[in-house]
Amino acid sequence: MLLDQDAADLRPPANLRLRLRHAEQVVTAGLVNNGREQFVLAALEYQSILADPDFDADDDYYSDIEASLGALFCLIAQTEQPGPKRLHYLARAQTLLGKALNRCQKTATPLAWARTRANLSIVLLTQYEQTSASEDLFTGLMTLDGVAEVFAHAGDFEAEGWVHSIGRRLDDLRNARR
């Protein structure tokens, strides 16, 4: 998953900026040790930020925080055993990433657009691995369309390679269905 590491650098009010930095530090710690607890704490902080009365849903960075929360829900889901709880986290992730994607445009915020679509494809891949629903597989593949090119154009070759590996995994699963 790629979290929006630029969210704390945007222009939210100072109190929210501090909370965003704290949430990102907790996420970083969780990524180092695959710590579900840190992911949950960071998700709670992001949810609290989104609910803050000083924070308006029309603000430019609102969708960045939604996307980061969606990515966290997917990370939490990946720590769960297959079952309803995992699917619940994936559904929440998909909803948040979809909302964030509705607010960002490839031409205006290409990296945010690419990160969000890549994360959405991971949600769909994880969901497919549990449900075997063909629409998750095919939507996951379509979601990656144009994403690697955005990362390549930005010179983020690590993210570009990551997107190609997601695409290969989805292709392998699609070929196995045949």
Side-chain angles (χ1 to χ4, degrees):
M1 300 302 296
L2 290 174
L3 295 175
D4 190 342
Q5 297 299 318
D6 303 325
D9 296 331
L10 296 170
R11 293 176 228 69
N15 65 322
L16 295 180
R17 195 169 34 250
L18 291 173
R19 291 169 61 194
L20 285 168
R21 284 200 179 99
H22 175 258
E24 288 178 0
Q25 290 168 346
V26 173
V27 170
T28 300
L31 290 172
V32 167
N33 61 17
N34 195 26
R36 182 185 191 286
E37 295 79 22
Q38 284 99 351
F39 298 150
V40 170
L41 287 173
L44 290 170
E45 186 68 51
Y46 280 125
Q47 285 177 309
S48 172
I49 291 167
L50 289 173
D52 192 292
D54 291 337
F55 194 47
D56 188 58
D58 293 329
D59 289 333
D60 293 336
Y61 42 83
Y62 193 89
S63 64
D64 296 331
I65 296 170
E66 280 181 321
S68 291
L69 180 57
L72 275 170
F73 280 144
C74 186
L75 285 169
I76 294 167
Q78 291 172 343
T79 66
E80 293 288 338
Q81 294 297 318
K85 197 170 184 181
R86 176 185 262 189
L87 289 173
H88 172 74
Y89 280 116
L90 291 170
R92 291 178 74 185
Q94 187 173 0
T95 298
L96 283 163
L97 291 167
K99 286 180 181 180
L101 200 52
N102 286 336
R103 293 175 188 235
C104 63
Q105 299 171 350
K106 184 178 180 180
T107 55
T109 54
L111 288 175
W113 177 87
R115 268 191 305 268
T116 304
R117 287 180 67 105
N119 286 336
L120 184 55
S121 71
I122 288 290
V123 168
L124 293 163
L125 170 62
T126 305
Q127 202 164 276
Y128 173 79
E129 289 173 338
Q130 180 170 329
T131 65
S132 298
S134 61
E135 61 270 10
D136 292 333
L137 178 65
F138 297 116
T139 304
L141 279 165
M142 290 187 304
T143 300
L144 288 178
D145 190 39
V147 172
E149 292 80 6
V150 169
F151 287 129
H153 183 67
D156 190 342
F157 302 113
E158 185 177 335
E160 179 190 11
W162 177 66
V163 168
H164 285 302
S165 68
I166 297 167
R168 282 191 298 276
R169 177 72 178 134
L170 289 164
D171 275 334
D172 290 346
L173 290 168
R174 182 183 62 181
N175 291 335
R177 287 183 63 89
R178 293 179 183 173

